[in-house]
Amino acid sequence: MSSDAVAITREAWGSTPDGPVERFTLDNGRGLRVRVITYGGIVQSIETPDRDGETANVALGFDTLQGYLDNPGPYFGAIIGRFGNRIAEGRFTLDGVTYQTPVNDGVNSLHGGTTGFDKMIWTATEVDGGIALTHVSPAGDQGFPGELSMTVTYTLSSDGGLRIDYLATTDAATVVNLTNHSYFNLVGEGEGHVYDHVLRIDADEFTPVGAGLIPTGKIAEVAGTALDFRNPATIGGRIRTNETQMLYGRGYDHNWVLRPRDGEPESAAVVVEPVSGRTLTVLTTEPGMQFYSGNFLDGTIIGGSGRPYRQGDGFALETQHFPDSPNHANFPSTVLRPGQEYRSTTIYRFGVS
């Protein structure tokens, strides 16, 4: 047990052709238990109590390593990189040089390319309150320049928080946009759709997309659109409107421009599930957040509960810089240079109402 009363257990959890995989269980002693595997740095499960003290896993995923190997597409719970979300045609120019990354989402690159950080085996070390995962991505990995050295640290707090700290350095100019791709269902994994969850997003603007879900470069007001969650609203209340943005994403799959941060994690979103009473508060240092309503889950994947995941059975709140940022000078920069540190923090805090 670490100094801040988080119990940590470690176990073998299968292997891939790249080597053995371990699973870590983190328990804060107050009802929050999180399991992380070294394959992809995946958050495999998050157990947290409801208002009556009944505990359930609220993170979508699998109960075996093989499940993740067979179903990489949803990126359940994984560390995403080098570049979270999409890059138009997988191409960007940095310091006058054009780089090509793999195209794996139509004509675009998604979540770092065909073999992103979600498919790497990370090296784990126990730290106070959790674990630190490290990985070195060599220069040219998936077409990205520079050797990137990373540490992603998962820690639990006594107030129900899962904190994720990202640190990266490079030996040559590159672009970096790391995030976590956990899907949540606050009723419980496999318990049906999330459309009755009540969501608030602390953002007045979003980045509109075209038909390929690539940002147009504009920043638009959420007012008067289905993307306005400044006041709490159910996820499903406007999801089937015929607004162009909703048709492009088959629901919500957009980046919200969060209100200005001051360098410390600040509120980005709050989700309340009215029946169980479970709540999720997201705090981050990032300038954006991708809210994805599980639109491409189609019932062909069986989760850890033994039930199929259908459209809308989970939602993701991916804190990040904006998609396709290297191709939009007006977006916050994702460029990292030698001598600089990429630092980012996000906290997923679970509670009850």
Side-chain angles (χ1 to χ4, degrees), residues 69-139:
L69 299 177
D70 290 344
N71 301 281
Y75 301 91
F76 289 136
I79 297 171
I80 300 298
R82 284 190 192 193
F83 200 91
N85 213 276
R86 294 170 175 86
I87 297 177
E89 298 180 349
R91 192 177 303 123
F92 65 93
T93 300
L94 176 61
D95 295 339
V97 179
T98 298
Y99 297 93
Q100 181 66 54
T101 64
V103 170
N104 62 333
D105 182 52
V107 298
N108 304 312
S109 177
L110 176 66
H111 293 334
T114 50
T115 311
F117 297 163
D118 59 293
K119 299 175 183 68
M120 301 293 105
I121 296 179
W122 294 63
T123 300
T125 305
E126 295 184 23
V127 297
D128 278 354
I131 60 170
L133 302 176
T134 58
H135 177 64
V136 177
S137 172

Side-chain angles (χ1 to χ4, degrees), residues 265-315:
E266 295 184 35
S267 179
V270 177
V271 189
V272 178
E273 200 293 297
V275 176
S276 69
R278 291 190 183 92
T279 65
L280 169 60
T281 301
V282 182
L283 305 99
T284 189
T285 57
E286 287 294 292
M289 183 183 69
Q290 189 87 4
F291 165 43
Y292 172 54
S293 52
N295 316 316
F296 294 96
L297 300 176
D298 61 4
T300 60
I301 292 175
I302 307 300
S305 62
R307 302 185 185 99
Y309 292 149
R310 303 186 187 280
Q311 187 179 52
D313 280 359
F315 65 91

Side-chain angles (χ1 to χ4, degrees), residues 160-175:
L162 167 60
R163 177 178 176 130
I164 310 176
D165 290 291
Y166 304 85
L167 170 64
T169 58
T170 184
D171 66 357
T174 191
V175 295

Side-chain angles (χ1 to χ4, degrees), residues 3-90:
S3 61
D4 52 0
V6 172
I8 304 172
T9 58
R10 184 174 195 164
E11 60 186 312
W13 214 62
S15 64
T16 77
D18 294 324
V21 174
E22 295 181 298
R23 182 171 71 168
F24 289 80
T25 300
L26 315 179
D27 191 329
N28 76 346
R30 301 192 178 192
L32 179 63
R33 183 181 295 112
V34 176
R35 291 186 172 90
V36 178
I37 63 174
T38 52
Y39 178 76
I42 288 170
V43 177
Q44 185 225 346
S45 66
I46 301 171
E47 297 174 29
T48 187
D50 64 11
R51 66 162 62 96
D52 296 322
E54 295 294 323
T55 297
N57 171 30
V58 298
L60 274 60
F62 305 104
D63 57 3
T64 66
L65 176 61
Q66 196 62 46
Y68 294 100
L69 299 177
D70 290 344
N71 301 281
Y75 301 91
F76 289 136
I79 297 171
I80 300 298
R82 284 190 192 193
F83 200 91
N85 213 276
R86 294 170 175 86
I87 297 177
E89 298 180 349

